[in-house]
Amino acid sequence: MAELLDRLQRAELPAAAQAFRAEVKDFIAREMPPLGADVRARSWMGFDAAFSRKLAARGWVGVTLPKAYGGAELDAFRRFVLVEELLAVGAPVAAHWIADRQSGPLINKFGSEAQKQSYLPRICRAEVFFCIGMSEPNSGSDLASIGTRAVRTERGWVLNGRKIWTTNADKCDYSIALVRTSGLPADRQAGLSQFIVDLRLPGVTVRPIVDLSGDAHFSEMFFDDVLLAGDALIGQEGQGWQQVNAELAFERSGPERLYSSVVLVDAWIRWMRRNGQIEQHAETLGRLLAHLATLRQMSIAVTAKLAAGESPLVEAALVKELGTTYEQEIPSIVEAALGASPGQPADPELLRAAAYLSHMAPTFSLRGGTREILRGMIARGLGLR
């Protein structure tokens, strides 16, 4: 364990990133519409294309992409600040989220020049939105067992199979799908490749999945003899496993793995101040904030590794596992505190936010890799497997 923790050396946000924070706060104050806590709790699941385009007009979509393709070419630290400020206020960022965090950087790193010219400028203008095609029925986060297959033909590739738990696929234009191009699921990591799939192509069916809260953030995607052009392949055939692991380091390490329930904590604090209950719950509140401060420091340490060009898979898995556990605990802690004062009616907005997050919290440890998968990665990082 000591060796793994040594790889998470304390890091500070550079002065330029701290100065950038003021710009972001000013933008949010001007552009963030007044929303209730229960709506803000949806945050990076909240799809608002108009808000994403406002961010894009400011230059804050595709923030790490090169200026030559329309990006802001900001470093990982300033992206951390931008993400942290947006999530802290519950900004609806889901429309551009996947493309900004993963799809754009993946295309920039592994894509052809034609792919970069085609997709990256439109991502940076928030004109096109991406989703991730990884999980499959009966496979979950065990990506190595993927069965969706693309077969090369004279006209390109023919795609058949099914993906599930795809965030906002019904609202997106493209999916970057991890599929098998050779071998069998028993071959595990070998024979996997990534494709850019236009979700309007014939043979593509997307069905939203309604969750317990009544929202439909996730979807199933069905591919029935979908003909993909030859240039839909991204990177090298058979290198999908290596490419997707580099991509997942971006997904698992960011502030979105810490801030999903923080809007509820803010609403609870405001309610306690109005009702003179801060002292009664000071110990609980202090523990929550100390926990957040520690996790945030760990996330900054991973960001420093990304900024240095490293691919900190194990460190990111550790932050994601601890971060989602924290996010999951908040709704039950706040609800228990509210229940301890049954004679003090709670604010309806606070109750709606608590109810929404209670419904959604079980999914926090599924997205971006299940708890079991991440703990397996951490165990390997510690030399225990």
Side-chain angles (χ1 to χ4, degrees), residues 8-77:
L8 278 172
Q9 291 293 318
R10 180 176 175 80
E12 300 289 344
L13 292 173
Q18 294 289 14
F20 178 60
R21 190 181 299 278
E23 292 182 46
V24 180
K25 284 182 177 294
D26 180 65
F27 173 87
I28 290 171
R30 286 186 286 104
E31 302 292 350
M32 181 79 182
L35 300 171
D38 54 322
V39 178
R40 283 184 283 122
R42 284 155 169 85
S43 198
W44 61 283
M45 301 293 277
F47 196 103
D48 186 337
F51 184 78
S52 292
R53 290 185 180 118
K54 287 181 181 177
L55 277 172
R58 186 65 181 79
W60 292 343
V61 175
V63 291
T64 60
L65 297 176
K67 291 181 179 177
Y69 301 112
E73 212 167 301
L74 299 182
D75 59 29
F77 292 111

Side-chain angles (χ1 to χ4, degrees), residues 196-213:
I196 303 174
V197 181
D198 185 338
L199 296 179
R200 293 159 297 190
L201 286 173
V204 177
T205 303
V206 180
R207 295 178 183 168
I209 300 171
V210 179
D211 59 36
L212 282 173
S213 70

Side-chain angles (χ1 to χ4, degrees), residues 118-135:
S118 173
Y119 297 106
L120 298 186
R122 290 187 289 160
I123 287 174
C124 296
R125 295 193 296 265
E127 291 179 353
V128 295
F129 303 122
F130 279 69
C131 59
I132 303 168
M134 291 189 190
S135 297

Side-chain angles (χ1 to χ4, degrees), residues 16 20 30 56 83 86 120 133 144 165 179 186 215 230-231 235 258 264 273 299 313 343 355 359-360 372:
F20 178 60
R30 286 186 286 104
V83 170
L86 289 171
L120 298 186
W165 308 126
V179 308
D215 293 342
D231 61 4
L258 314 178
L264 178 59
R273 284 176 172 158
S299 186
L313 291 175
H359 283 133
M360 293 302 296
E372 291 75 14

Side-chain angles (χ1 to χ4, degrees), residues 294-310:
T294 303
L295 289 167
R296 179 176 182 269
Q297 182 56 51
M298 294 175 71
S299 186
I300 292 174
V302 174
T303 300
K305 287 185 168 293
L306 293 172
E310 300 180 36

